[in-house]
Each structure stands twice: as C-alpha cells, then as structure tokens.
Amino acid sequence: FFSLLTHTTMAVVPKPTESHFATLAPIAFGTITTSCIMYPTDITRALRMASATGEQKSLMQLVVEFRAKHGVAGFFKQGLGPTLAGVTTLRIAKFFMFPICHEKLTGGPPSQGTALTKAAAGALASIPEAVLFAPFDIARLALQLDKEKKYGNSATRVVKEIYSTRGFFGLYNGFVATQARQSIWTATYLSTLGFFKSTVEPAVKAVSPFGAGVNDTLATVASGFCAAVFGTVLNCPTDVIRTNVQKKYLQADPTAIKAGNPASKFVGAFTTVFKVGGEIIASKGIGGLWYGFGLKATYLGGSGALLAVFIPFYKKLLGVDREIF
C-alpha cells in the first residue's frame, strides 16, 4: 500500500512548447469513443442503483421493464444525449485540468509526481467537471427512469421542467454526493494508473505470445481497468446515494421542494446525503451502498481501460506532445 502511495516514474520530460489547449482534441475524441461503446452498461448500472430504495426487483426484471418501455434500441439511445454532452464535457474538463493542477501544485508534469500529488491534482481537477456535469447528471437519470416516456428522451424537457418547478438549484440536487463521487474516483484512477501499469506489465510480458506493441496495449488496458475498478470500490457508496437522492427529489412534490429558505436548503444538501445513506443501510444493510457495484465496475472499469488506450491513441494520431496523464 505504501509503495502505491509513493509510486513515481520520476521521468525527465522536456518542457513542451504546445499550449494545454492542444490536448482538448485527443481528450474529446477519446471520451466520445469510450462513452458510445460503454453506454448500454451505463443504463443497466443506473437502473440497478436506483432500485436501492423502493420496491425490490432483480436486475432481470429491471432490464425487461426497460426493454418493454423503450425497446432494445433504448439501451443505445435513451438518455444518450445528456450522457454524450455531459460525460464528454466532464471527462474533457477532468483530463484537461489534471496536468494543469499538477503543475500548479508541484511545478512539474504528472510523470514527475507521486501517487499522492496525482491524487491531489485529480481531486482538484474534478471540481469543474462536477459543476459542469450536475445538470446533465440529473437529466440523464430522469430519462433513464422515465417509464411513462413523459420527456420523450429529451434532456431539454427535463431541464426546463426542473428549472420551472424547482428553480435553478434544482438542477444541482445531490451535488454534494456528485462531487464526492467525482473526486474519489478521479483521484484514485489517476494516482494508481501508473502503479498498476508497472505491476501488470511484467505479468503480461511473461504470459503473452505477442510482440512488444500488443503487450504494451494489453498492459494499458489491464492497468486502466484495475485503476478504474479500484476507484469504483471507493466511490460506489456516493454514487448509490446520489442516484437515490435525485430519484426521491424527482418523485417529490415540486411545490414543497421550492418552499423554504436558502440556508435550510444548503444545510439540507448535506444532511440529505446522510439521511438517504442511512435509509439504504437500514433497508438493505451496509452492502446496499454497493448496490449495482458489478455493473458500475464493469462500466467504469471498461471506461477506464478504453480511456487509457484511446486518449493516448488520439494524442499520437494528432501529433500532440503535451502530457495528459
């Protein structure tokens, strides 16, 4: 564990002449590719996590109900708009800000940092992504749970309804849990990616019959998956709580929500997280906080593996030298 925290490559890299903005294109292409590939898993993850409160249903029941309402195509398009807009935006913001935050904190790029400095930079980099993504997050959940098709798979309709019935801050419901989720996963993923790569690489070389290029890709996929799943173990409770905080919010009477003074709402944003978390533990046990973990680990593990491959791939394809992670 200590070696994980202090792991560093201490690589000496020349100072690039490119602007940080040069990294935006490879990050965008990498995140869009990843989001499209992993979206069906994201839907099943959301359905499972949302069932942590309310009627007990099996994953198969949830999938069958979803298919009955939206068809097979729904697994590839229901809520895809806010996911592409939101997830892409948040990942661009995260990976764009990460090396900048690391340089501001330490004076050097991530390749010259330790796991601790990368974790700190990752946590800071997740703040703008959470702020940008929060409205997309609640809109995506509303569409994924829309059994009556009242929104017609339109994120704009969701946002307009929340804004008109609950006010601007209604779009940021569950933000405390959202920020915790993003900070924990981002810090863990970016700080352990190098550690897992150096740990996995020798094993891949030992058993793989392929050449160096393929082995490096396999090691990158495996390390991205391991780092992402490790982050999922730590952040899953915040995501389950966030999902159910927003689910209750969307189901509640808007007039009652809009009433009340700002101070009580601010305090309530924190207390609601613990209240819903307590309700989940009371009804499902402590394991309820990891409801849907298998699907979430599959989704984020696959996403982490693909991001670790596709962002560097597009970076090389576009001839970008500036370091990303």
Side-chain angles (χ1 to χ4, degrees):
F1 181 71
F2 178 75
S3 65
L4 188 153
L5 290 178
T6 57
H7 176 78
T8 177
T9 56
M10 294 304 292
V12 178
V13 293
K15 187 174 182 179
T17 56
E18 294 173 320
S19 163
H20 280 289
F21 288 103
T23 65
L24 286 174
I27 292 172
F29 287 133
T31 55
I32 291 171
T33 302
T34 298
S35 295
C36 289
I37 293 173
M38 297 304 300
Y39 190 64
T41 309
D42 186 35
I43 286 184
T44 53
R45 171 205 62 81
L47 294 173
R48 185 59 170 166
M49 286 187 168
S51 67
T53 57
E55 184 183 354
Q56 181 76 35
K57 292 183 180 180
S58 69
L59 176 60
M60 183 59 69
Q61 287 177 296
L62 295 170
V63 169
V64 169
E65 287 182 1
F66 183 88
R67 181 180 178 280
K69 292 290 183 181
H70 304 287
V72 175
F75 289 97
F76 297 91
K77 68 178 184 179
Q78 188 67 21
L80 180 61
T83 295
L84 285 180
V87 172
T88 300
T89 299
L90 77 89
R91 284 177 175 164
I92 290 173
K94 168 166 51 192
F95 289 114
F96 175 73
M97 291 300 300
F98 172 62
I100 296 174
C101 290
H102 196 278
E103 288 176 15
K104 295 298 182 182
L105 287 173
T106 68
S111 60
Q112 295 181 352
T114 66
L116 288 175
T117 62
K118 292 175 185 178
L124 288 174
S126 73
I127 295 175
E129 71 157 332
V131 172
L132 289 169
F133 183 60
F136 293 102
D137 209 13
I138 194 168
R140 175 178 64 167
L141 181 65
L143 292 177
Q144 290 172 338
L145 300 180
D146 184 18
K147 295 181 180 179
E148 289 76 31
K149 297 186 179 182
K150 62 182 288 190
Y151 299 116
N153 198 28
S154 169
T156 303
R157 289 187 188 178
V158 178
V159 171
K160 284 182 177 179
E161 180 183 279
I162 292 175
Y163 180 78
S164 63
T165 59
R166 296 165 171 86
F168 174 77
F169 289 105
L171 297 171
Y172 284 85
N173 176 260
F175 180 76
V176 173
T178 298
Q179 181 61 68
R181 176 193 67 182
Q182 299 306 121
S183 293
I184 293 169
W185 190 88
T186 304
T188 304
Y189 178 75
L190 291 172
S191 65
T192 61
L193 193 58
F195 171 80
F196 282 115
K197 180 71 178 287
S198 63
T199 303
V200 168
E201 203 162 28
V204 171
K205 289 180 179 179
V207 301
S208 174
F210 304 109
V214 175
N215 288 343
D216 183 67
T217 300
L218 291 174
T220 299
V221 169
S223 59
F225 182 83
C226 290
V229 171
F230 187 31
T232 305
V233 172
L234 301 180
N235 93 329
C236 192
T238 59
D239 200 17
V240 172
I241 292 172
R242 187 272 314 170
T243 300
N244 287 279
V245 165
Q246 292 181 339
K247 173 186 170 184
K248 288 175 175 289
Y249 185 77
L250 292 168
Q251 293 174 342
D253 179 8
T255 56
I257 292 173
K258 210 167 184 180
N261 61 71
S264 64
K265 290 183 180 180
F266 179 78
V267 174
F270 291 89
T271 58
T272 300
V273 169
F274 293 100
K275 180 182 177 183
V276 172
E279 291 174 356
I280 293 172
I281 293 173
S283 62
K284 302 290 193 303
I286 190 69
L289 294 177
W290 279 267
Y291 226 63
F293 171 76
L295 290 167
K296 182 176 170 66
T298 301
Y299 170 66
L300 286 179
S303 295
L306 293 175
L307 288 167
V309 171
F310 280 120
I311 290 179
F313 168 77
Y314 285 115
K315 179 174 175 286
K316 182 178 180 179
L317 184 67
L318 297 172
V320 176
D321 295 321
R322 171 70 71 169
E323 189 172 317
I324 299 175
F325 54 75

